[in-house]
Amino acid sequence: MKTIFLFEWKKLARTPLSISILVFFIGLGAYSIYYGYSITKKQIQVIHDLENLHKEQVKTTIGYFNADTTTHKGKALYNKATQPGWIEHLIKPFATFYPNSFSSMAIGHRDVYPFYKEISTKDNSLHVFDADISNPEILIAGNFDLSFVIIYLIPLLMIVLCHNIISEEKELGTFILLKSQSNHFRKIIFYKLFFRTLIVLTLTYILNIVAAYISPTNTPISILNLLYWLLIVTCYLFFWFAICYLLISFQKNSIVTSLYMIGSWLLLSIILPSLFNFYIDISYPKRIKADMASEKRKIEESVWDLEPKVLLQKFYNHHPEYNTQNSNDTIKYSSKHFVAYYDALEKQLTPIAKVHKDRENERKKLMSKFSEFIPTLKMQKTLNQIGNTDFNSYIYFEESTLSFQKKWKKFIYDFIFKDENLQVSDYLTMPEYPENRSQIQYKGIVINAVEFILLALLIILLQTYVTYNSNKYLTIKQ
């Protein structure tokens, strides 16, 4: 094996085309790292800007308590700072989905679903899974992150480097020498393929480690996450090694072998995922948001037409802890009136939102099931999971956001329905969104890695069966 590796290394170093191909893929990998870094860096900057904006708003509002109340302007500012109905106009809290060290390597859903959300007592359930306005051309093209290079381009590199392992021996006139040592022929071919796979794997390791350590999050990298990332990448490339080993065992010429390999890549990377996605679109078609907006507008109009007293009574029926039954409950446009209006609106919009949310969850669950049978989708899901950019991570963020919104509502409602004014201490003890993220399921990553290894071993066993038991491929062709 050492002799074969040394020979292959010298041949690689003396082949300008192979060196050019490797350099080209290194350039693609470097650009993917830069692309993921830039996208994540922009999102981190937005999150920091929102956090600074919130702190500045709190500081400014607290300053209103020192306003000169002898003047009309100063008195107005002081009243705004003390009135609970004004707090959401002065201060905007945000729930933010901060990326981890691997998010820039697997952007996943970060370009589709929102990574921050403004919290308000006026929010309604129809906003679930809303996305920021984005360039549709960019969304169609997708993201050129490192996970894309690993899943789709690195297998192409293996195909380019490995498709002519046998045919090049015939072209160089060394095939007869290998044939004369027929007892070691298959072992030699295996080692030659293994060496080229090691080159690709080494290149991939370097790109992954560099990307992990220059993450824009400026947080200590999780060595455990990095090991799991490298584990699943290794198993995935071993799977493609097995496919290449099987196809070159047919001993076809370079063109036919490359067509076999490209066909396998197209089947696993494009054709099967497209067919499954088409099936999902038919089974669970997305609802047009314009129709949802129209339905929401009709409900808003019908709820707004209700008398304040009726709205307050509905609110007290659902929230008896706030039932004070003051005389100002019948005043239109009061803080209590608006609270009752948005609560009633929420109650009517929740069933509509649930249908939309359940349909979206069913689509994702079905796609998750299909991904178990498609290696490329399985790999994408696993890398997104490590990067906290998979769909389950956004479900967790949505649930955390709703939980924080409940705390924020309770904070505001306590002042409104107790007819109490805010003090400086209240601004300093306002609820804040905790920085948290869904836990990575390491067990699932290990299971996926084992499945890749077992699938690769199955393909190698198939190669052994084809080589030793099929008369069509048993004879070494010259």
Side-chain angles (χ1 to χ4, degrees):
M1 183 177 69
K2 181 178 179 181
T3 303
I4 296 175
F5 277 18
L6 182 60
F7 173 77
E8 288 293 319
W9 174 255
K10 290 182 178 180
K11 185 168 64 173
L12 174 66
R14 296 173 182 176
T15 308
L17 179 60
S18 298
I19 297 296
S20 300
I21 292 173
L22 290 176
V23 171
F24 175 72
F25 271 85
I26 291 174
L28 291 178
Y31 175 76
S32 69
I33 294 173
Y34 165 76
Y35 180 88
Y37 181 94
S38 61
I39 293 294
T40 308
K41 184 69 174 178
K42 290 178 182 178
Q43 295 185 353
I44 292 175
Q45 186 61 50
V46 170
I47 292 175
H48 286 168
D49 290 343
L50 292 176
E51 292 173 347
N52 293 334
L53 174 63
H54 177 70
K55 293 177 181 178
E56 186 64 29
Q57 288 175 335
V58 172
K59 181 180 178 181
T60 301
T61 304
I62 290 177
Y64 292 161
F65 283 90
N66 299 322
D68 184 5
T69 56
T70 60
T71 65
H72 177 74
K73 181 179 179 181
K75 187 176 181 179
L77 292 176
Y78 179 83
N79 289 334
K80 286 182 179 180
T82 58
Q83 295 300 316
W86 273 96
I87 186 171
E88 290 190 320
H89 297 280
L90 301 174
I91 297 175
K92 299 182 183 300
F94 289 91
T96 55
F97 186 15
Y98 201 85
N100 69 10
S101 300
F102 294 85
S103 298
S104 61
M105 301 163 64
I107 295 176
H109 294 288
R110 287 197 73 89
D111 65 325
V112 178
Y113 296 124
F115 57 94
Y116 69 90
K117 181 175 175 61
E118 182 181 343
I119 302 300
S120 170
T121 58
K122 305 176 181 62
D123 283 349
N124 58 71
S125 298
L126 206 57
H127 289 163
V128 293
F129 299 130
D130 276 357
D132 294 332
I133 297 176
S134 304
N135 189 329
E137 293 184 1
I138 295 178
L139 294 180
I140 292 175
N143 292 305
F144 195 82
D145 55 7
L146 189 58
S147 67
F148 177 84
V149 173
I150 294 171
I151 297 171
Y152 299 103
L153 300 187
I154 293 298
L156 285 178
L157 176 60
M158 293 183 63
I159 291 172
V160 172
L161 295 179
C162 302
H163 75 282
N164 61 343
I165 283 181
I166 293 181
S167 59
E168 71 173 350
E169 299 295 342
K170 296 181 180 180
E171 296 168 359
L172 295 174
T174 57
F175 182 75
I176 300 300
L177 296 176
L178 294 178
K179 179 184 175 182
S180 64
Q181 303 180 22
S182 57
N183 291 335
H184 303 286
F185 175 75
R186 297 180 183 87
K187 185 182 294 186
I188 292 173
I189 296 302
F190 178 88
Y191 287 153
K192 287 167 68 67
L193 178 61
F194 186 58
F195 172 81
R196 303 183 189 199
T197 303
L198 283 179
I199 293 293
V200 176
L201 188 61
T202 302
L203 168 64
T204 307
Y205 274 13
I206 294 174
L207 292 174
N208 287 327
I209 294 174
V210 170
Y213 277 94
I214 65 171
S215 171
T217 57
N218 294 323
T219 55
I221 186 173
S222 171
I223 300 299
L224 182 62
N225 287 356
L226 179 60
L227 292 177
Y228 275 103
W229 180 284
L230 296 178
L231 170 66
I232 195 67
V233 168
T234 303
C235 295
Y236 179 72
L237 294 185
F238 180 58
F239 162 74
W240 278 101
F241 163 83
I243 291 180
C244 293
Y245 187 44
L246 171 64
L247 296 179
I248 65 174
S249 298
F250 294 159
Q251 300 181 35
K252 300 293 183 179
N253 59 47
S254 300
I255 297 178
V256 175
T257 302
S258 61
L259 287 176
Y260 284 166
M261 292 181 175
I262 293 296
S264 301
W265 180 85
L266 288 173
L267 179 67
L268 297 176
S269 303
I270 298 178
I271 298 176
L272 288 179
S274 298
L275 290 176
F276 283 147
N277 190 61
F278 178 72
Y279 173 77
I280 291 173
D281 286 338
I282 294 178
S283 303
Y284 298 96
K286 289 187 176 182
R287 189 176 180 185
I288 300 175
K289 287 195 174 183
D291 294 339
M292 297 174 61
S294 176
E295 188 171 357
K296 174 188 173 185
R297 188 161 50 250
K298 292 179 181 178
I299 294 175
E300 288 175 338
E301 293 174 354
S302 64
V303 174
W304 184 252
D305 289 338
L306 297 175
E307 292 296 325
K309 187 175 182 178
V310 176
L311 285 174
L312 262 299
Q313 189 59 51
K314 287 178 176 288
F315 178 83
Y316 290 143
N317 291 339
H318 290 102
H319 305 279
E321 67 274 17
Y322 296 117
N323 191 348
T324 57
Q325 295 291 347
N326 290 337
S327 58
N328 63 355
D329 286 356
T330 59
I331 299 176
K332 200 168 187 178
Y333 308 128
S334 67
S335 296
K336 293 182 180 180
H337 175 216
F338 281 111
V339 168
Y341 163 72
Y342 285 110
D343 184 75
L345 184 63
E346 178 78 15
K347 295 294 186 296
Q348 294 198 35
L349 290 176
T350 296
I352 302 174
K354 186 176 185 304
V355 173
H356 169 70
K357 188 173 182 178
D358 290 345
R359 182 179 294 271
E360 187 70 16
N361 288 338
E362 288 299 324
R363 284 174 57 90
K364 296 301 179 181
K365 288 180 181 179
L366 186 58
M367 178 60 76
S368 180
K369 290 180 180 178
F370 283 154
S371 68
E372 295 300 319
F373 304 97
I374 306 177
T376 51
L377 296 183
K378 181 194 292 287
M379 184 64 175
Q380 184 71 73
K381 183 177 73 172
T382 305
L383 295 182
N384 289 347
Q385 183 182 353
I386 298 175
N388 273 142
T389 57
D390 59 327
F391 185 72
N392 290 334
S393 297
Y394 280 90
I395 293 290
Y396 183 83
F397 173 62
E398 181 70 23
E399 293 173 350
S400 299
T401 300
L402 293 177
S403 177
F404 176 62
Q405 185 186 28
K406 290 179 181 178
K407 294 180 181 179
W408 179 255
K409 284 184 176 181
K410 185 178 184 307
F411 175 77
I412 302 296
Y413 291 174
D414 284 344
F415 288 98
I416 291 178
F417 288 93
K418 292 179 182 178
D419 294 316
E420 295 180 354
N421 291 334
L422 289 159
Q423 305 297 325
V424 174
S425 58
D426 297 319
Y427 283 94
L428 298 177
T429 58
M430 288 189 306
E432 296 183 358
Y433 182 77
E435 182 181 339
N436 54 15
R437 55 174 63 95
S438 61
Q439 297 296 318
I440 298 176
Q441 301 297 321
Y442 294 110
K443 181 180 178 181
I445 297 174
V446 173
I447 292 175
N448 290 341
V450 171
E451 289 177 354
F452 275 126
I453 293 176
L454 293 177
L455 186 58
L457 292 176
L458 181 63
I459 294 174
I460 291 176
L461 288 177
L462 177 61
Q463 185 274 343
T464 304
Y465 174 82
V466 168
T467 303
Y468 286 96
N469 297 282
S470 176
N471 293 329
K472 183 176 181 180
Y473 302 117
L474 179 60
T475 304
I476 300 176
K477 300 180 181 181
Q478 302 187 33

